[in-house]
């Protein structure tokens, strides 16, 4: 094929381009992923039975704030990385803010508790369930976000883009899991929520170069 | 290339608004830059210059089908350069080249050379089209190759106008993907 023929073809009947498409479709993908995670968590695990208690409600709010903060940062960075050269304009350090906040709170709560309580606060009752559930629930949101990136975006740093897709997926998954989880301690949230979300991020970074090629 | 920023950006913006002549001028100009860039880079690592034209077409296709990812509020040259470099790295990585760390060079490297006469890739447009589903193939043939309007094509194929537009759009994307795949196999 002659390059001039290709140019001819591409510049015949050019349609105006919808500039909001990228942002909109990525936002929609994260929202759909969140919906998927919510439905999965509700159908397979169910809502915690003690929600009428103020303490339980407060911890649910805290878990949702932490995970929503992650989802927000991840979506913001993902939208930038979705454009060619976007990796030169992003500060991935922003994504650490919610993690830094929860680790700080966890440290304070440990410092204020007798050391005999530490093990119970850190390990909780359902750490294994948390460790398994969050990455598992994240699979569907991750697939939706990756699909949207492949289809609408043009990332030029695939590992980093994959990492933030994984972070967003881990974040929405943890939001869904939070509705079920009855382990109410800050160190538990920092370690098991934070840790599994980091796991999702690492998985995304490893899968990115394979899945996001264009 | 930096010197061309304002000019290329104006062409890009007009093209995004549906100005076909501006879009053609843009792709034409970019193709010269791309050719010089890829020939230079491939030569520097001892690879055949024949691969350059495949890369030029792959990059042009990518620039066209992903042009909605350009944010008009930002500089155009870094956007196009990021695509150019990405396509080179992807090419080297998937053709098992030893060198995969192409330096982020000065944009000054990215200068035009006028040796495009008859530039041709090993790709065959008919073969690419043949791999598309019937609807997309017909839409692309009529709208992008024969130059019929979307309305005429819609009437001729018995499709709605928006279905024709969607078919063209998806078909071009599928072709871009096929070019990117074919380049490396």
């Amino acid at each position: 094929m002659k390059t001039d023929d290709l140019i001819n073809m591409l510049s015949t009947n050019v349609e105006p381009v919808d500039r909001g498409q990228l942002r909109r479709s990525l936002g929609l993908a994260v929202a759909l992923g969140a919906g998927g995670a919510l439905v999965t968590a509700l159908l397979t695990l169910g809502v915690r039975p003690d929600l009428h208690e103020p303490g339980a409600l407060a911890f649910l709010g805290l878990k949702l704030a932490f995970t929503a903060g992650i989802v927000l940062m991840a979506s913001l960075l993902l939208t930038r990385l979705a454009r060619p050269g976007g990796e030169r304009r992003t500060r991935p350090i922003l994504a650490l803010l919610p993690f830094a906040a929860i680790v700080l709170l966890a440290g304070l709560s440990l410092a204020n508790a007798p050391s005999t309580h530490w093990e119970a606060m850190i390990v909780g009752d359902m750490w294994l369930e948390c460790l398994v559930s969050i990455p598992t629930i994240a699979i569907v949101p991750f697939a939706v976000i990756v699909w949207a990136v492949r289809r609408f975006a043009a990332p030029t740093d695939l590992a980093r883009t994959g990492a933030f897709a994984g972070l967003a997926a881990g974040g929405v998954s943890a939001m869904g899991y939070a509705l079920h989880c009855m382990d109410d301690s800050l160190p538990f949230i920092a370690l098991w929520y934070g840790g599994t979300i980091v796991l999702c991020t690492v998985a995304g970074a490893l899968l990115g170069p394979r899945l996001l090629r264009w | 290339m930096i010197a061309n920023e304002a000019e290329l950006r104006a062409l890009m913006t007009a093209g995004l608004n549906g100005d076909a002549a501006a879009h053609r001028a843009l792709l034409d100009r970019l193709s010269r830059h791309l050719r010089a860039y890829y020939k230079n880079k491939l030569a520097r690592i001892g690879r055949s210059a024949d691969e350059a034209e495949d890369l030029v077409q792959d990059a042009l296709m990518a620039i066209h089908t992903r042009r909605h990812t350009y944010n008009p509020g930002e500089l155009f040259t870094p956007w196009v350069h990021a695509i150019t470099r990405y396509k080179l790295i992807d090419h080297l990585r998937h053709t098992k080249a030893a060198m995969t760390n192409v330096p982020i060079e000065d944009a000054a490297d990215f200068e035009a050379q006028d040796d495009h006469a008859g530039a041709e890739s090993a790709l065959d447009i008919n073969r690419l089209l043949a791999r598309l589903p019937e609807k997309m193939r017909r839409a692309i043939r009529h709208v992008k190759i024969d130059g019929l309007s979307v309305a005429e094509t819609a009437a001729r194929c018995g499709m709605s106008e928006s279905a024709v537009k969607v078919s063209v759009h998806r078909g071009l994307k599928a072709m871009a993907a096929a070019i990117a795949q074919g380049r490396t196999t």
Side-chain angles (χ1 to χ4, degrees):
Chain A
M1 170 169 48
K2 288 196 171 142
T3 301
D4 285 346
D5 292 342
L6 177 69
I7 293 174
N8 260 334
M9 183 177 94
L10 296 180
S11 51
T12 301
N13 284 319
V14 174
E15 297 285 335
V17 165
D18 175 3
R19 284 152 199 204
Q21 191 191 47
L22 180 64
R23 198 176 294 231
R24 218 169 41 236
S25 48
L26 291 185
L28 192 66
V30 173
L32 275 177
L38 190 71
V39 170
T40 318
L42 289 182
L43 288 184
T44 57
L45 300 168
V47 184
R48 59 189 295 178
D50 59 349
L51 261 190
H52 48 88
E53 287 171 29
L57 211 57
F59 261 97
L60 175 61
L62 193 85
K63 287 168 187 166
L64 289 180
F66 168 55
T67 49
I70 288 174
V71 174
L72 195 75
M73 291 295 178
S75 316
L76 260 167
L77 291 165
L78 189 64
T79 315
R80 293 225 187 118
L81 287 168
R83 298 180 194 274
E87 65 274 14
R88 292 193 214 173
R89 290 192 304 271
T90 46
R91 281 190 213 89
I93 202 100
L94 281 177
L96 288 179
L97 287 178
F99 291 99
I102 199 76
V103 167
L104 189 73
L105 289 175
L108 286 176
S109 102
L110 282 180
N112 285 320
S115 56
T116 46
H117 287 200
W118 283 5
E119 195 185 333
M121 289 169 78
I122 293 171
V123 179
D125 294 322
M126 304 297 273
W127 63 271
L128 185 61
E129 187 190 68
C130 180
L131 184 65
V132 173
S133 298
I134 292 181
T136 311
I137 298 173
I139 293 174
V140 169
F142 184 70
V144 175
I145 296 168
V146 162
W147 176 82
V149 171
R150 281 178 63 99
R151 177 146 192 163
F152 298 104
T156 47
D157 185 336
L158 304 187
R160 202 184 284 183
T161 310
F164 283 102
L167 183 67
V172 295
S173 166
M175 284 176 86
Y177 180 72
L179 294 175
H180 167 75
C181 170
M182 296 192 33
D183 277 299
D184 290 340
S185 92
L186 288 163
F188 183 90
I189 302 175
L191 180 62
W192 299 105
Y193 280 57
T196 46
I197 294 172
V198 168
L199 215 62
C200 295
T201 311
V202 172
L206 293 175
L207 290 169
R210 259 176 222 208
L211 296 180
L212 300 175
R213 231 186 117 204
W214 52 283
Chain B
M1 184 83 180
I2 291 291
N4 294 333
E5 166 67 30
E7 193 186 349
L8 292 173
R9 190 177 182 175
L11 289 174
M12 178 68 173
T13 312
L16 286 174
N17 290 328
D19 180 339
H23 193 56
R24 178 186 303 265
L26 176 77
L27 294 181
D28 191 54
R29 243 164 263 197
L30 288 178
S31 73
R32 292 158 205 259
H33 289 295
L34 292 168
R35 189 169 299 114
Y37 176 88
Y38 288 134
K39 280 193 171 167
N40 178 358
K41 292 286 174 226
L42 290 171
R44 213 181 275 184
I45 53 169
R47 302 279 292 252
S48 146
D50 295 346
E51 297 164 43
E53 208 57 31
D54 293 2
L55 273 167
V56 170
Q57 297 189 0
D58 186 7
L60 284 175
M61 203 74 182
I63 288 165
H64 176 82
T65 55
R66 313 258 165 176
R67 66 197 197 281
H68 63 276
T69 63
Y70 170 61
N71 182 352
E74 283 162 10
L75 289 174
F76 175 68
T77 335
W79 179 83
V80 88
H81 186 252
I83 294 182
T84 309
R85 181 167 171 274
Y86 170 76
K87 284 294 181 184
L88 177 64
I89 292 172
D90 183 69
H91 177 71
L92 296 179
R93 202 168 272 159
H94 289 90
T95 50
K96 300 186 177 62
M99 194 190 100
T100 49
N101 55 336
V102 179
I104 301 181
E105 63 291 306
D106 253 3
D109 267 18
F110 204 68
E111 269 163 25
Q113 253 173 37
D114 198 15
D115 57 351
H116 88 295
E120 198 165 349
S121 74
L123 297 157
D124 181 349
I125 184 128
N126 289 314
R127 205 174 299 165
L128 284 173
L129 279 171
R131 286 161 65 171
L132 296 180
E134 172 73 21
K135 243 166 78 175
M136 290 182 192
R137 182 166 59 235
R138 285 176 73 186
I140 289 186
R141 262 209 197 288
H142 288 325
V143 178
K144 304 299 276 186
I145 298 177
D146 301 337
L148 295 184
S149 73
V150 171
E152 283 171 310
T153 307
R156 206 176 276 201
C157 300
M159 297 158 72
S160 71
E161 290 193 23
S162 61
V164 169
K165 286 184 194 170
V166 169
S167 290
V168 169
H169 186 69
R170 293 206 179 141
L172 284 179
K173 280 204 148 176
M175 284 172 76
I179 289 176
Q181 290 294 317
R183 178 165 56 62
T184 56
T185 47

